[in-house]
Amino acid sequence: MINTIIFDLGAVLIDWNPRHLYRKLFTDKLAIKDFLTNITTSDWNEEQDAGRSLQEGTNLLIQQYPQHEDNIRAFYGRWDEMLGDAIEGTVELLKQLKQSGKYKVYALTNWSAETFPIAVERYHFLNWFDGIVVSGTEKIRKPAPAFYQLLLDRYQVKAKNALFIDDNLRNILAAEKMGIKSILFTSPQQLKRELSIIKVL
């Protein structure tokens, strides 16, 4: 019986996308794609999510690509411009789940500890959660099993009673290996359908 819902945040509840910023800095879409794919890569960003300081991550990349210094510095220097709107359809589902009184709701997010306070200030619904576990604070991130276990242990949640929602298949598969029922998020409409099918909503 599911009594706990665990949400990812980025691309599920919050429209975080570096392209929101880099469309202001590049005129060529291919140049944006090349920069985000080959310079400020997902692997590089995830090291900051896992606890490496923004300064260290930035300096490391500038040493490797000095010709891109200004645009590299913008990644965290203008990071708030990567934040788009809340994904309102998902926020409404979170509200319904919270107000039903049937579930505890938590967030498990890969996010730098240095930038997360900006999101907390901007998105009021982050205050609705019964708890949020941030990778940059814990210095471990999804899909590491210990990161999921940290949330389960901290809030006395049994894996068999939890439902995990994330847009990243890698993270979904890791949760399922731990016995946590999971939904791969693609849209609020799809999530609503799947929650209805399993009678959570």
Side-chain angles (χ1 to χ4, degrees), residues 69-100:
E69 179 174 355
D70 289 346
N71 288 324
I72 291 169
R73 289 195 183 282
F75 195 95
Y76 290 115
R78 297 175 61 177
W79 181 89
D80 61 317
E81 295 177 56
M82 298 181 189
L83 290 172
D85 295 332
I87 301 174
E88 292 297 345
T90 317
V91 173
E92 181 58 32
L93 294 174
L94 169 63
K95 184 177 181 180
Q96 291 178 36
L97 292 166
K98 177 70 174 177
Q99 291 184 342
S100 74

Side-chain angles (χ1 to χ4, degrees), residues 2-201:
I2 292 170
N3 59 23
T4 302
I5 316 293
I6 305 168
F7 282 86
D8 175 39
L9 295 179
V12 175
L13 283 155
I14 296 170
D15 175 23
W16 176 83
N17 191 328
R19 285 173 177 79
H20 294 323
L21 167 63
Y22 285 101
R23 277 194 284 263
K24 303 173 186 177
L25 303 180
F26 291 92
T27 55
D28 182 356
K29 289 182 179 180
L30 288 177
I32 296 173
K33 182 178 180 181
D34 179 68
F35 182 76
L36 296 177
T37 302
N38 299 311
I39 309 297
T40 55
T41 65
S42 293
D43 287 345
W44 169 78
N45 182 51
E46 285 192 336
E47 288 301 313
Q48 283 70 259
D49 288 350
R52 183 168 66 187
S53 76
L54 305 189
Q55 187 65 56
E56 183 182 351
T58 298
N59 290 344
L60 181 68
L61 217 53
I62 290 170
Q63 288 172 10
Q64 295 175 332
Y65 306 101
Q67 70 275 27
H68 293 288
E69 179 174 355
D70 289 346
N71 288 324
I72 291 169
R73 289 195 183 282
F75 195 95
Y76 290 115
R78 297 175 61 177
W79 181 89
D80 61 317
E81 295 177 56
M82 298 181 189
L83 290 172
D85 295 332
I87 301 174
E88 292 297 345
T90 317
V91 173
E92 181 58 32
L93 294 174
L94 169 63
K95 184 177 181 180
Q96 291 178 36
L97 292 166
K98 177 70 174 177
Q99 291 184 342
S100 74
K102 298 177 183 177
Y103 309 103
K104 291 285 189 179
V105 291
Y106 299 103
L108 186 71
T109 183
N110 283 0
W111 206 302
S112 163
E114 294 177 71
T115 58
F116 192 66
I118 300 171
V120 171
E121 189 172 317
R122 183 172 298 192
Y123 304 104
H124 69 282
F125 62 83
L126 292 177
N127 295 307
W128 300 350
F129 286 101
D130 295 293
I132 301 178
V133 181
V134 179
S135 62
T137 302
E138 309 299 338
K139 302 194 184 315
I140 187 171
R141 61 175 174 80
K142 294 175 286 186
F147 190 46
Y148 299 81
Q149 193 63 49
L150 191 156
L151 184 147
L152 298 179
D153 291 344
R154 181 171 294 171
Y155 299 109
Q156 292 83 53
V157 176
K158 293 182 179 178
K160 66 180 181 179
N161 299 134
L163 174 68
F164 176 60
I165 300 161
D166 197 296
D167 66 302
N168 189 315
L169 180 59
R170 174 196 69 177
N171 299 339
I172 290 290
L173 294 175
E176 289 179 340
K177 281 184 179 179
M178 298 187 66
I180 302 171
K181 185 175 181 63
S182 301
I183 294 175
L184 179 63
F185 178 90
T186 58
S187 72
Q189 296 78 16
Q190 166 260 348
L191 177 59
K192 185 175 182 179
R193 284 196 303 271
E194 297 213 28
L195 291 174
S196 297
I197 288 169
I198 61 175
K199 295 182 170 45
V200 165
L201 196 63

